[in-house]
Amino acid sequence: MTNTGKASSNKVSKAAKAVSNNSGLLYVVATPIGNLEDITRRSVRVLSEADLIAAEDTRHSKKLLQHLGISVKTIAFHEHNERTRTPELLGLLREGQCIALISDAGTPLVSDPGFRLVCAAHAAGIRVVPVPGPCAAVAALSVAGLPTDRFVFEGFPPARTRARDAFFERLKHEPRTLIFYETPHRLRASLNAMTAAFGSGREAVVARELTKKFETILTGTLGELGAVFVGQRDARPRGEFVILVHGAAPSAARTPSSEAERILRALLRELSVKQSAALASEITGVNRRKLYQLALSLQRR
Ligand code: SAM
């Protein structure tokens, strides 16, 4: 596949052409997240015309490539060899080869390898071309029924309990829709930790096995969803999961409530205004300055 400068679009900008004149192109190609029909015609063309396909797991991708009738050479490119493979691939790109980067499923770089290679390609003046397609986070968001105007992708929560609890705790006032990836064996632990941090009444969605035979979209409160999986204590949840959580209601989460005021009043009996506001803020999550103002006015009264 030679670089004609019109591989992705007939209207490549002058700057892009200048960058891509002598060197090859790095295509970042999204592949299906389950259903093999979810591949675009452009992805198939780019994969079949590439000089080399850098795949996260060559054996895994072989099935897809065979299904598509593509026999291009593949090379392993995963988190354990990304550092050493990047200069090698960069060398091939500089020689004018066109390389397609794919991961096991979905969009490369989204909780998948490729970041180092893409950065290195930019630094070397090699054009990087997206070939968009499936992404579990976006697919889940599109069917969740949660606000989509603003959202944050948080990837996989930490595996260790304390780090995970702190991670969710830091997100409890986040007003945008939250999206997480989770493994089956940590799904329950994460739902429990989210319930503790965000409250059992927070609306959420568990999207399981998207685009596959056992696709399931479970909606409910965190308390309800937690109960679904706790109810299956014996059988470990199976499949692939995306968890989405409604963002915190900014005013409700941060404006002093009667509960915050009650706690503040109790603390003021023993502590200074500053100490009471700080502690009440830590307990309730309400903005410290708002509580300080409230504490002052309570004292005056
Ligand atoms: N690059 C991929 C993407 O674009 O979505 C994500 C790769 S990440 C290593 C794998 C995680 O994505 C899984 O553990 C799961 O959380 C989520 N995932 C991937 N495929 C999925 C599917 N079909 N249904 C639900 N979640 C999926």
Side-chain angles (χ1 to χ4, degrees):
M1 186 180 191
T2 48
N3 172 16
T4 59
K6 57 177 180 178
S8 64
S9 147
N10 292 326
K11 289 183 183 172
V12 179
S13 72
K14 268 189 188 164
K17 266 187 184 162
V19 161
S20 64
N21 257 347
N22 301 315
S23 46
L25 295 170
L26 174 63
Y27 289 96
V28 180
V29 184
T31 56
I33 55 170
N35 190 326
L36 293 186
E37 285 181 292
D38 292 334
I39 184 108
T40 67
R41 285 159 66 166
R42 181 164 168 242
S43 307
V44 177
R45 181 179 61 74
V46 167
L47 288 173
S48 49
E49 291 177 7
D51 296 305
L52 182 67
I53 296 174
E56 187 181 4
D57 178 344
T58 50
R59 271 188 304 178
H60 176 93
S61 294
K62 204 171 170 187
K63 285 181 215 148
L64 172 71
L65 297 174
Q66 264 173 0
H67 172 79
L68 299 172
I70 294 172
S71 54
V72 170
K73 189 179 162 204
T74 57
I75 187 171
F77 186 83
H78 45 72
E79 58 173 328
H80 305 295
N81 72 358
E82 185 167 356
R83 187 183 289 272
T84 51
R85 269 282 147 84
T86 292
E88 190 183 333
L89 295 184
L90 222 50
L92 296 174
L93 288 163
R94 280 202 187 98
E95 284 169 18
Q97 294 212 12
C98 286
I99 299 178
L101 173 70
I102 58 173
S103 62
D104 286 354
T107 302
L109 279 84
V110 178
S111 293
D112 267 341
F115 177 66
R116 194 182 296 271
L117 178 63
V118 167
C119 290
H122 284 302
I126 289 157
R127 205 170 132 225
V128 184
V129 182
V131 185
C135 173
V138 176
L141 182 68
S142 72
V143 293
L146 294 174
T148 53
D149 50 345
R150 297 180 72 209
F151 57 89
V152 279
F153 173 63
E154 288 288 338
F156 287 94
R160 290 179 187 273
T161 308
R162 199 185 289 187
R164 183 169 50 225
D165 290 348
F167 169 80
F168 289 129
E169 193 59 30
R170 277 196 297 274
L171 290 169
K172 72 177 175 191
H173 297 307
E174 171 56 61
R176 294 167 290 185
T177 294
L178 294 145
I179 309 177
F180 305 94
Y181 284 164
E182 193 47 290
T183 59
H185 61 282
R186 283 201 283 271
L187 181 76
R188 280 195 291 240
S190 266
L191 284 173
N192 287 341
M194 285 184 206
T195 304
F198 307 152
S200 61
R202 187 85 77 91
E203 230 186 293
V205 173
V206 173
R208 174 176 173 254
E209 293 285 88
L210 292 166
T211 77
K212 302 188 207 176
K213 188 173 174 192
F214 296 107
E215 178 182 271
T216 322
I217 315 293
L218 290 169
T219 63
T221 62
L222 278 172
E224 288 163 350
L225 292 172
V228 169
F229 293 98
V230 168
Q232 300 171 359
R233 193 175 288 278
D234 299 335
R236 183 179 273 183
R238 288 213 196 145
E240 299 199 273
F241 296 90
V242 182
I243 308 173
L244 305 96
V245 183
H246 200 296
S251 53
R254 291 176 193 270
T255 309
S257 61
S258 54
E259 174 68 356
E261 185 173 327
R262 192 183 62 75
I263 290 168
L264 197 57
R265 279 179 193 276
L267 292 170
L268 277 170
R269 279 187 225 122
E270 305 291 335
L271 302 171
S272 70
V273 166
K274 197 174 166 193
Q275 286 170 324
S276 302
L279 205 53
S281 168
E282 207 173 310
I283 296 167
T284 61
V286 173
N287 181 282
R288 181 193 292 223
R289 255 194 300 166
K290 281 188 181 146
L291 287 176
Y292 184 78
Q293 294 303 326
L294 181 62
L296 283 178
S297 72
L298 287 174
Q299 233 190 16
R300 266 184 242 123
R301 271 187 246 159

